[in-house]
C-alpha cells in the first residue's frame, strides 16, 4: 500500500526546516549589519560571539536544508536509513508525480500526432473519398 500523500509530520518537519534555515540566514546576514554599524559591534564587545554568528548561521542553514530533504523524501528516501522498500514508499508521492507528468506529456503528444484525415475529391462527381480509396464510393470512377 503506497502512500500518495506526504504525511502531516513530514510537512511539519519541512516547515520547521524552512524556519531553521531562515533563522540561520538572518543570523548570517546580521554579521553584515553589524559591520555597517561598527560602534554597536564594539559596544557589544564580544568578538568571539560575533565570529561565531556566521558559523552558527551556516550550520543552521545546513541543518534546515537537511530537515527539509528528510521531510520531502522521508527517512529512507533521503538515504538516512537503508531500506529500499521503505524508500520507494517514501518517494511514492514524487514518483507518482513524475508518472503523472509523463502521462501529461503523452496526452499532449497524442493531440499533436493525431492523424489528420485527408480526403480526396473525385474528379468526376466531386464526392469526397478517403485518400487511400482506389475508386470513388459514389460513382465508381477510378481515383
Ligand atoms: Zn465520383
Amino acid at each position: 500500500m503506497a502512500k500518495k500523500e506526504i504525511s502531516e509530520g513530514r510537512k511539519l518537519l519541512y516547515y520547521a526546516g524552512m524556519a531553521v534555515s531562515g533563522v540561520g540566514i538572518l543570523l548570517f546576514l546580521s554579521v553584515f549589519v553589524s559591520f555597517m554599524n561598527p560602534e554597536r559591534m564594539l559596544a557589544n564587545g564580544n568578538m568571539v560571539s560575533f565570529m561565531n554568528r556566521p558559523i552558527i548561521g551556516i550550520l543552521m542553514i545546513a541543518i534546515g536544508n537537511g530537515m527539509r530533504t528528510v521531510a520531502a523524501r522521508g527517512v529512507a528516501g533521503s538515504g538516512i536509513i537503508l531500506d529500499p522498500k521503505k524508500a520507494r514508499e517514501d518517494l511514492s508521492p514524487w514518483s507518482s508525480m513524475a508518472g503523472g507528468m509523463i502521462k501529461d506529456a503523452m496526452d499532449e503528444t497524442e493531440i499533436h500526432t493525431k492523424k489528420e484525415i485527408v480526403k480526396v475529391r473525385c474528379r468526376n462527381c466531386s464526392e469526397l473519398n478517403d485518400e487511400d480509396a482506389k475508386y470513388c464510393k459514389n460513382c465508381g470512377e477510378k481515383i
Side-chain angles (χ1 to χ4, degrees):
M1 198 184 78
K3 283 175 288 179
K4 292 285 178 198
E5 293 297 323
I6 291 170
S7 68
E8 285 300 310
R10 274 165 65 181
K11 277 182 190 164
L12 267 173
L13 184 65
Y14 187 85
Y15 293 124
M18 265 172 75
V20 171
S21 286
V23 172
I25 289 164
L26 285 178
L27 205 59
F28 187 72
L29 291 178
S30 77
V31 176
F32 298 100
V33 177
S34 298
F35 266 128
M36 290 191 223
N37 199 349
E39 277 171 33
R40 218 182 107 199
M41 190 180 102
L42 290 172
N44 286 345
N46 198 340
M47 277 302 282
V48 176
S49 84
F50 173 74
M51 291 311 285
N52 278 341
R53 258 193 284 169
I55 297 163
I56 294 165
I58 289 166
L59 273 174
M60 282 181 80
I61 293 165
I63 291 164
N65 285 342
M67 282 165 78
R68 276 190 294 173
T69 306
V70 173
R73 306 218 165 260
V75 182
S78 56
I80 287 175
I81 56 164
L82 288 174
D83 186 345
K85 193 168 163 278
K86 183 93 171 49
R88 219 176 81 188
E89 207 174 282
D90 283 345
L91 292 171
S92 90
W94 301 103
S95 44
S96 60
M97 180 193 78
M101 278 161 67
I102 290 163
K103 196 182 166 293
D104 288 349
M106 301 243 311
D107 287 349
E108 187 88 349
T109 315
E110 200 191 358
I111 293 161
H112 293 297
T113 56
K114 195 178 249 176
K115 198 168 179 291
E116 210 175 315
I117 300 155
V118 179
K119 293 279 185 184
V120 200
R121 200 172 285 278
C122 172
R123 277 171 296 169
N124 187 42
C125 70
S126 295
E127 174 74 24
L128 284 172
N129 291 279
D130 292 336
E131 65 174 328
D132 57 351
K134 285 190 172 68
Y135 301 96
C136 174
K137 67 184 178 199
N138 184 49
C139 67
E141 181 76 24
K142 205 177 174 193
I143 293 170

